[in-house]
Amino acid sequence: MWGRWRYDLVSFAALVAAVVLGVVPADRAFSGFANDATVIVALVLVAGHGLTRSGAIELITRGIIAKPRSVPLHLAMLGGIAAGLSAFMNNVAALALTMPVDIQAAQKAKRPPSLTLMPLAAATILGGLATLIGTPANIIIASYREQASGTPFAMFDFAPVGLAVAVVGLAFLALIGWRIIPQRESGNAMAELAAMKNYVSELVVEAKAKAIGQRIADLDPIADEHDTQIVGLVRKDKRLPGRARAEEILEGDLLVVEGAPEALNNLASALGLGFQGKSGEKAPLDAGQGFIEAVVSQESRLIGRSANEVQMLRGYGISLLGISRRGKTLRQRVRRTPLQAGDVLLLLGASESMDEVLARLDCLPLARTPTLTRHDKALLAIGLFVGAIALSVSGFLPLTIGLSLVVIAYVLTDIVPIREVYEAIDWPIIILLGALIPMGEALESSGGTMLIADAIAQTTQTMPAWVALTTMLVVTMLLSDILNNAATAVIAAPIAYGLANAMGVNPDAFLMAVAIGASCAFLTPIGHQNSLLIMGPGGYEFSDYWKFGLPLEVLTVVVAVPAILVFWPL
C-alpha cells in the first residue's frame, strides 16, 4: 500500500519470513511456482505477445480510427473490442494494444484523450471477467476451487455473471461514464504522437499486391487511414517525375511512402506490399528481425555516403527502410540519398546484429523501438490460439497443456522468437503469485481465514445470506482498490469459501463474488495496472479515479449480486 517497495519483493520477502517463522513448511515454500494458476498466467502472456506480434490485433482494430466518431460510438466500438480481447489475453496487454488506437482517434477528432482513456482501461478490466484466462484473479479462483472441492471452474463458468457485469458496464462507459471524467489536457500523449518521426521509405509491389492496377491517387483513402502519404513511384530503377499521381501501379514497382514506422508497417500489410531488402526486392522476414531507429552522429562514417555505398549494412543483413530528415520529404531514391549528420534512419535486420553495426557506423540508437509486425502470420496465430482454447474447453486437453502447445507452435512457426518468450512474461507478477499462493494456503491451514470468515458471519448472521454475499463482494472490491488484484484473490478466496461453509450455503456463489470484486478496482490508480498505465497519457489526477470509479463500482455490485444469485443459487 505504501508503494516504497515493489509488490514482488514484498511478497517474496514475506514468504521467506513465513518459512523462517515456521508458518509455511519449507518443503512447500516454492510450491506456488508449480501451481497451475502461475503457469497459466505466464503462458497467457506469451500467447498474447504472439497475437500482437503477428498483427492479429491490428487486423481487428484497423477500422476504428478510419474516421472521427462521436465519443459514445467510439467507446462502444473500441471498448467492445478491448473487452473482447481482454477475455482471451492479459488485460494489460489488451490495453497496451488499444491505447495507441484511442490516442490517435482522439487526435483526429481534436478532443483530449482523457475523455476516453479511463473508460477504455475500465473496458479491458470488465472484459477479463468473462473467461477463466481473462484475468489472473479468475485463474486463482478456479485453482482454489480445485484445491478445495476437487473440481476447478471451467473456461466459461465465469461468463454468465462476468458478461452481465461487462455489458452493463460498457453501456455505462459509453453513455455516462466519460461525461463525469474531468477533462485534462494530455500534453504527454499528444506530444508523443507528434514527435513520432516520419520516414520516406520504398515499399515493393509484389505479384499479389492489392495495389496493382490502381492509380497512385486511388490509394489516398487507405494511405490516409494509416496516417501515411504516397509521395512517388519508382519503376525500373528510376523514380518517376513528381508524385506520379495518375500512374497505374505495376508488379515490381516501388511505392515511395512517408509515415511513421508502425504506419508504414500497417500500410504494407493492408496493400500486400513488402519492405525492400536488396535493391528492388522484398526483404525476407523472420521472427529474429526487428526495427530500430538510429541517428547519424557528427563522427559517423555514413556522412556523405548513401546506403548503396555502405557494404557493412548488406554484410550484416541490415536493410535501410527509410530516412527522416528534419521533416523534409526526400526527392531522391532512399538508398541513393547521401546521408547527413542528424538524419534518423529506420533499419530492419537481425536484432542481435544491430548494436555492433550501429557502433561501427557511429550511429546512436533511439530509445523508442518500433515493433515489427508479421502480418503474414496473423491468421495462423489466431487459428492456433482458437484451436488450443477449443481443445481445452472440450476437455480434450488441460488448459495448461493447450496453452503450452500454442507457445511451442508460435516458436516453431516463427511467430515468436525464443528470446521473446521470456521477455513477454511479466516476471514480477509470476513472483507475486508464486510467493503468495503458499502464504494463502498457510493462512487457511492455520485457521486465519476461518477467524475472518467467522467474524463476517457473526456480523451478518441475522441477515439474509445475500447480504453476506454482498458484503464479501464489497470487501474484496475495496481491498483490490489498494492491493494487486491477484494478491486480493489469493487472500479473499479462502475467506469466502470459509464464510459460505460457516453459513451453510453454496461456496461457488461466494467465489464468484471474489472473482468480480478482485478485478473491479476502479477507485484508485494503484488498484489495477491498467488504471496506472493511463494516468500519464491521460493527464489524470488521483482524485479523478474515485469520481469515475465510485458509480462504476456501485453499478457492478448492483448487477453482480442478482446475477450471482440467478446463475449460482445459494
Side-chain angles (χ1 to χ4, degrees):
M1 289 172 60
W2 184 19
R4 179 69 179 270
W5 298 299
R6 213 168 67 181
Y7 54 80
D8 53 329
L9 172 62
V10 174
S11 58
F12 191 74
L15 173 63
V16 173
V19 173
V20 172
L21 294 172
V23 176
V24 173
D27 60 352
R28 295 288 299 165
F30 302 112
S31 60
F33 294 98
N35 191 283
D36 279 359
T38 308
V39 176
I40 290 172
V41 169
L43 293 172
V44 167
L45 289 170
V46 179
H49 179 67
L51 291 171
T52 305
R53 208 179 192 282
S54 69
I57 310 303
E58 195 272 330
L59 282 177
I60 298 171
T61 60
R62 182 179 291 170
I64 293 295
I65 59 171
K67 58 182 180 180
R69 294 181 172 88
S70 66
V71 174
L73 182 57
H74 170 77
L75 284 175
M77 294 178 64
L78 186 59
I81 289 174
L85 292 174
S86 186
F88 295 99
M89 63 190 301
N90 179 270
N91 41 28
V92 178
L95 177 62
L97 294 169
T98 52
M99 185 164 67
V101 178
D102 185 65
I103 293 175
Q104 290 181 50
Q107 185 187 40
K108 284 191 173 185
K110 295 181 172 57
R111 64 172 179 255
S114 61
L115 282 179
T116 52
L117 277 178
M118 193 176 287
L120 178 65
T124 60
I125 295 171
L126 291 169
L129 302 175
T131 67
L132 169 64
I133 62 174
T135 174
N138 286 2
I139 297 170
I140 292 165
I141 297 299
S143 178
Y144 178 79
R145 185 181 190 249
E146 181 178 27
Q147 173 189 326
S149 67
T151 306
F153 284 121
M155 173 68 74
F156 295 110
D157 280 351
F158 297 90
V161 177
L163 281 176
V165 174
V167 169
V168 175
L170 288 172
F172 168 81
L173 297 176
L175 298 175
I176 302 171
W178 66 274
R179 302 178 193 274
I180 58 179
I181 300 172
Q183 292 194 31
R184 307 286 184 191
E185 286 301 325
S186 172
N188 291 341
M190 293 303 187
E192 184 177 341
L193 282 171
M196 289 174 66
K197 294 269 188 290
N198 277 349
Y199 294 88
V200 175
S201 182
E202 295 173 354
L203 302 179
V204 182
V205 180
E206 301 181 274
K208 297 181 180 179
K210 299 174 185 177
I212 292 176
Q214 300 190 62
R215 296 178 303 126
I216 296 290
D218 297 334
L219 299 181
D220 282 349
I222 194 167
D224 289 341
E225 179 183 335
H226 292 87
D227 294 317
T228 58
Q229 187 176 15
I230 301 175
V231 296
L233 184 69
V234 175
R235 178 169 293 159
K236 296 181 179 178
D237 209 30
K238 292 183 180 180
R239 182 162 175 173
L240 302 185
R243 296 197 172 189
R245 301 276 297 161
E247 198 68 36
E248 185 176 306
I249 300 168
L250 306 176
E251 179 185 348
D253 287 348
L254 302 177
L255 292 185
V256 185
V257 183
E258 185 172 3
E262 290 87 352
L264 295 172
N265 196 175
N266 293 337
L267 181 69
S269 170
L271 293 177
L273 308 174
F275 290 110
Q276 190 176 193
K278 294 181 180 178
S279 184
E281 299 179 13
K282 179 186 176 183
L285 299 180
D286 61 60
Q289 291 181 313
F291 288 137
I292 195 167
E293 296 173 292
V295 181
V296 179
S297 71
Q298 293 284 357
E299 296 78 27
S300 175
R301 64 179 69 184
L302 292 177
I303 294 176
R305 303 168 69 186
S306 69
N308 282 345
E309 298 176 75
V310 184
Q311 298 297 324
M312 186 183 298
L313 291 176
R314 290 194 292 275
Y316 281 91
I318 305 295
S319 299
L320 174 65
L321 299 185
I323 301 173
S324 177
R325 179 171 291 170
R326 293 174 290 280
K328 298 178 181 177
T329 299
L330 301 177
R331 302 299 176 189
Q332 294 175 271
R333 296 286 306 280
V334 170
R335 290 165 176 268
R336 296 176 185 172
T337 299
L339 300 174
Q340 302 174 4
D343 284 350
V344 183
L345 311 180
L346 178 63
L347 303 172
L348 170 70
S351 301
E352 62 268 16
S353 304
M354 287 291 191
D355 289 343
E356 181 180 354
V357 171
L358 295 183
R360 295 187 64 181
L361 293 177
D362 288 317
C363 291
L364 306 174
L366 295 182
R368 192 176 74 89
T369 304
T371 301
L372 173 62
T373 305
R374 296 289 309 281
H375 292 94
D376 55 318
K377 303 284 188 178
L379 295 179
L380 176 60
I382 294 172
L384 290 170
F385 184 76
V386 171
I389 295 299
L391 289 173
S392 300
V393 170
S394 66
F396 189 77
L397 288 175
L399 183 59
T400 48
I401 303 303
L403 290 173
S404 298
L405 289 176
V406 170
V407 171
I408 293 170
Y410 279 3
V411 173
L412 294 179
T413 56
D414 207 27
I415 292 172
V416 178
I418 187 67
R419 59 182 172 79
E420 291 186 15
V421 169
Y422 301 99
E423 294 171 3
I425 297 173
D426 188 350
W427 290 107
I429 287 289
I430 300 303
I431 298 297
L432 172 79
L433 290 177
L436 281 188
I437 286 173
M439 293 285 287
E441 293 174 354
L443 186 65
E444 186 172 14
S445 63
S446 66
T449 57
M450 283 307 301
L451 285 175
I452 301 172
D454 287 343
I456 299 176
Q458 289 174 13
T459 304
T460 59
Q461 63 183 348
T462 60
M463 304 177 188
W466 66 265
V467 175
L469 178 74
T470 305
T471 302
M472 193 69 230
L473 172 57
V474 172
V475 168
T476 304
M477 192 177 284
L478 293 176
L479 188 61
S480 189
D481 278 316
I482 54 176
L483 294 179
N484 179 280
N485 64 340
T488 300
V490 171
I491 295 168
I495 295 173
Y497 199 87
L499 176 59
N501 286 334
M503 300 185 71
V505 295
N506 180 11
D508 287 342
F510 281 73
L511 290 178
M512 280 293 161
V514 171
I516 298 296
S519 292
C520 293
F522 304 115
L523 292 184
T524 68
I526 61 174
H528 196 285
Q529 287 171 288
N530 285 12
S531 298
L532 195 58
L533 281 175
I534 53 135
M535 194 171 188
Y540 298 116
E541 296 178 2
F542 199 96
S543 61
D544 294 339
Y545 286 85
W546 72 263
K547 294 174 184 175
F548 167 82
L550 183 58
L552 184 54
E553 288 201 0
V554 170
L555 181 64
T556 299
V557 174
V558 169
V559 174
V561 171
I564 292 171
L565 295 176
V566 170
F567 295 106
W568 301 93
L570 294 173

